[in-house]
Amino acid sequence: MSEPTQKYSITMPRDIAEAARARSGPSGLSAYVAAAVARQIERDNLNELISVAEAEHGPVTDEEIQALRDQLQHARHQQRPGKADAA
């Protein structure tokens, strides 16, 4: 069963509304906007979590970020078909 809904009236720039309507597809503008708002809430929650972690442990350095990106790229390369045995 889906979540209960309520009708709201919002104001947004016309060009954004028209672009959203054009991209909304068969589910409609309301579903498109609801999904966009849900994604923004997720991003806000992640930003809050990052702020708390950085306050406790300090900011993540560019070098740490690059090292993790390198690890991720290496793991993805190893997961490619035919590459599992290579190392």
Side-chain angles (χ1 to χ4, degrees):
M1 180 175 257
S2 65
E3 294 287 324
T5 61
Q6 185 168 337
K7 190 170 188 166
Y8 295 92
S9 174
I10 62 169
T11 303
M12 70 175 76
R14 181 176 293 170
D15 60 333
I16 293 173
E18 289 173 1
R21 186 176 302 279
R23 289 171 173 75
S24 63
S27 60
L29 182 60
S30 291
Y32 188 87
V33 171
V37 171
R39 281 191 305 275
Q40 185 61 48
I41 291 169
E42 289 173 353
R43 292 180 70 153
D44 293 346
N45 289 341
L46 286 171
N47 284 334
E48 290 172 13
L49 182 62
I50 290 167
S51 293
V52 168
E54 286 184 341
E56 185 173 334
H57 303 287
V60 178
T61 66
D62 290 340
E63 292 80 16
E64 291 169 319
I65 291 170
Q66 188 59 50
L68 291 172
R69 284 182 176 152
D70 292 344
Q71 288 177 15
L72 180 59
Q73 182 178 5
H74 179 74
R76 285 180 177 159
H77 179 75
Q78 292 301 313
Q79 290 177 349
R80 289 185 192 151
K83 301 286 185 182
D85 295 328

